[in-house]
Amino acid sequence: MASLEAYRRQLPYSYAPGLFPTLEALTKAPEQVTRVLISSRAQESEALSRIRQLCAQHGIRTEAADRVLQRLSQKDNCFAAAVFHKTPGALKAQARHLVLHNPMDKGNVGTLLRTALGFGFVDVAVILPAADLYDPHVVRASMGAIFSLRVREYDGFDAYRTDYPAHHLYPFMLEGAVSPETAARGAALPWALVMGNEGSGLPHAFAQLGTPVRIQHSGKIDSLNLAIAASIGMYVFDQYAGK
């Protein structure tokens, strides 16, 4: 088998480091997994036993790869990793979308993917430039949720709109005058929540592209963390949309 390279965006494959993300890859997307790396220091456990069982079931090779695991995690507690082919998926046309516009923090993106799955937002678009969806740090931060989602990167917001022109947009902005609850009650599929960059938020032009939404908070802070704001938005729309 070909030797593995240190991860970079241009590679056709990536890594899902950690026992749980590896299990998620093997359970939700075994057709994408090409091999599983296991640390020689890994103690036998229910999770490791399940990994071996799934690998045998799907004919996936396992191998000891301590150096690769150390390089991936920069820690000594990464005991397994799935090597998987990147497989971008087309978003479902009539579904609700989460659109992340230029998010740069890998931890934020991974957390957002996991939260999106938790609130039933299965279709996620990421507008470049942005943190790499398939970076191992993102995959691990998502706890493997990425394998249960339809995710796609777009070179620009116009490219996303070309594919999904019918979606009504709900950009979350400081300029927004509508509360999430009010916006959600008027939402009719298809629609998309649009979240901006951690530091700069969304460009002002987004206020003209749909129904801008603002999450009210005290004046003692200037804004909410992206992952927190998106979580609030997804929760409210999940509860109230169309009701």
Side-chain angles (χ1 to χ4, degrees):
M1 240 179 171
S3 59
L4 296 169
E5 301 180 40
Y7 180 75
R8 63 183 191 279
R9 188 187 281 269
Q10 294 78 10
L11 286 176
Y13 62 86
S14 185
Y15 305 89
L19 290 170
F20 189 77
T22 297
L23 270 173
E24 286 295 284
L26 290 168
T27 302
K28 304 297 172 49
E31 70 285 353
Q32 292 180 233
V33 181
T34 59
R35 59 177 122 170
V36 169
L37 313 177
I38 298 176
S39 170
S40 63
R41 297 179 294 101
Q43 297 182 352
E44 288 302 322
S45 63
E46 183 178 345
L48 189 56
S49 176
R50 181 63 177 154
I51 286 172
R52 294 188 192 279
Q53 179 186 4
L54 287 168
C55 286
Q57 177 182 330
H58 295 292
I60 297 169
R61 170 179 167 171
T62 63
E63 59 186 76
D66 290 6
R67 285 187 180 181
V68 177
L69 292 171
Q70 171 68 28
R71 188 171 66 221
L72 275 175
S73 66
Q74 300 297 311
K75 298 177 182 178
D76 294 324
N77 62 347
C78 181
F79 300 120
V83 183
F84 66 95
H85 282 302
K86 298 177 182 178
T87 310
L91 310 189
K92 191 173 180 180
Q94 293 303 311
R96 53 189 181 177
H97 293 175
L98 175 66
V99 180
L100 306 176
H101 189 272
N102 306 149
M104 293 298 179
D105 186 273
K106 296 174 185 177
N108 268 344
V109 174
T111 298
L112 281 165
L113 294 179
R114 186 164 187 250
T115 306
L117 181 60
F119 290 129
F121 284 74
V122 180
D123 299 87
V124 181
V126 174
I127 311 302
L128 300 176
D132 182 359
L133 268 174
Y134 297 100
D135 186 288
H137 292 92
V138 173
V139 177
R140 183 161 191 169
S142 82
M143 292 302 287
I146 191 171
F147 299 109
S148 296
L149 301 172
R150 291 182 287 269
V151 296
R152 194 170 195 87
E153 293 178 332
Y154 284 90
D155 288 333
F157 188 74
D158 288 345
Y160 166 77
R161 285 304 271 170
T162 296
D163 279 357
Y164 304 100
H167 275 66
H168 186 78
L169 304 179
Y170 293 95
F172 279 63
M173 312 176 66
L174 293 178
E175 296 91 337
V178 179
S179 72
E181 293 86 354
T182 298
R185 288 190 172 97
L189 288 173
W191 48 263
L193 306 188
V194 187
M195 304 288 170
N197 172 269
E198 293 91 343
S200 58
L202 288 170
H204 296 296
F206 274 80
Q208 308 303 318
L209 299 180
T211 304
V213 178
R214 177 170 183 160
I215 300 172
Q216 296 294 333
H217 54 73
S218 79
K220 296 181 179 180
I221 59 172
D222 58 352
S223 63
L224 295 169
N225 170 273
L226 171 61
I228 291 173
S231 297
I232 293 171
M234 286 188 286
Y235 171 77
V236 171
F237 271 76
D238 184 57
Q239 293 295 306
Y240 296 107
K243 299 178 182 178

